[in-house]
Amino acid sequence: MSGAESYWAGRSAEAQVARHYAAQGLAVVAERWRGKRGEIDLILREPEAAGGGYVFVEVKKSRDLARAAERLTARQIARLQGAGEEFLASQPGGMALPARFDVALVDGQGQVQIIENALWG
């Protein structure tokens, strides 16, 4: 797959995951949010009735879900956690805000698997 094809496949997977969360009532706050410590694919907000917390999502796409999961490295996890902390620090309420970090896996057939609270801690 070329660089351009990979870019658009990733964007398509992110849009699919955003729709998945929107169907559950979460609002997209940012797509591909970039801070000094890294980039977060999706930042969503739960409805106030559900706690109003932030959900940071790293989207991984590959031919199959297992291969998608393997594409997440320890170095990348550290960058993602740093970016999440940076985002929260910029919000009223800061690090006291409820938040979780999910990983969304997307396979070549468009199947989505969400692993909730996969990276925080």
Side-chain angles (χ1 to χ4, degrees):
M1 185 179 295
S2 74
E5 290 172 327
S6 181
Y7 171 82
W8 288 111
R11 292 293 290 181
S12 176
E14 290 166 7
Q16 183 176 0
V17 170
R19 287 190 301 273
H20 175 87
Y21 280 101
Q24 297 176 26
L26 282 78
V28 175
V29 173
E31 297 178 21
R32 294 201 171 192
W33 181 88
R34 182 176 294 279
K36 293 177 182 173
R37 297 172 70 185
E39 180 181 291
I40 301 172
D41 291 333
L42 295 169
I43 301 176
L44 305 125
R45 189 90 190 245
E46 297 174 319
E48 289 300 321
Y54 285 100
V55 179
F56 304 114
V57 183
E58 174 65 13
V59 178
K60 289 296 184 188
K61 182 181 186 325
S62 196
R63 287 180 296 195
D64 60 64
L65 296 175
R67 193 174 303 257
E70 292 170 356
R71 297 186 62 222
L72 192 61
T73 66
R75 186 175 179 176
Q76 187 176 31
I77 290 168
R79 281 196 314 266
L80 291 165
Q81 289 173 332
E85 291 170 359
E86 183 180 354
F87 176 84
L88 288 176
S90 73
Q91 302 301 303
M95 293 298 290
L97 292 167
R100 72 174 197 253
F101 228 124
D102 294 355
V103 173
L105 308 174
V106 182
D107 70 12
Q109 290 72 47
Q111 179 182 353
V112 175
Q113 179 182 356
I114 305 293
I115 303 170
E116 288 188 8
N117 217 14
L119 303 182
W120 213 256

